Amino acid sequence: PKTGEWYYVASTFEPADGNRTKINTFVASLSDEHPQLVHVVKGHVAEGTAAVGRLGVGKGFDDTTAHAYPWSGALDEIAVYNEVLGEPELQQHLRLLCRRE
């Protein structure tokens, strides 16, 4: 990532075995003329589960690591879904976001 540029970032979190969470992250540079979705984190399994309660962007997992991943950048739009979206749905979101009329 380059400072001063905007990116489409989508992460999915789903329960894995035991007290673990499977993470996938996709990124595309919105500065590119034709942004391409890149799968940068593929099925990483992290210890802990997503925290319940209020949403905290950049908070990490569980109470013990609540501030493990602080977010220092600006956010423009956030969408939260109650199910894990697949790569085709995320690609469609990116396409709609980047439509130039």
Side-chain angles (χ1 to χ4, degrees):
K2 296 179 185 173
T3 302
E5 292 189 10
W6 287 94
Y7 293 88
Y8 173 88
V9 179
S11 289
T12 64
F13 303 88
E14 55 188 309
D17 58 331
N19 189 33
R20 300 175 354 143
T21 300
K22 185 169 100 174
I23 304 167
N24 285 285
T25 299
F26 302 85
V27 177
S29 172
L30 298 177
S31 299
D32 293 346
E33 186 174 345
H34 301 287
Q36 297 295 310
L37 198 61
V38 179
H39 196 170
V40 295
V41 175
K42 298 179 181 183
H44 175 75
V45 177
E47 292 298 322
T49 56
V52 297
R54 297 178 64 190
L55 175 66
V57 176
K59 297 286 269 186
F61 294 101
D62 290 337
D63 293 335
T64 58
T65 57
H67 301 287
Y69 308 103
W71 184 265
S72 60
L75 297 173
D76 184 27
E77 295 180 28
I78 297 175
V80 178
Y81 299 90
N82 62 356
E83 62 185 45
V84 174
L85 300 181
E87 190 170 350
E89 291 88 1
L90 297 173
Q91 184 65 55
Q92 179 66 12
H93 288 184
L94 176 63
R95 242 187 323 275
L96 292 170
L97 178 67
C98 294
R99 261 192 343 206
R100 291 174 170 77
E101 303 192 40

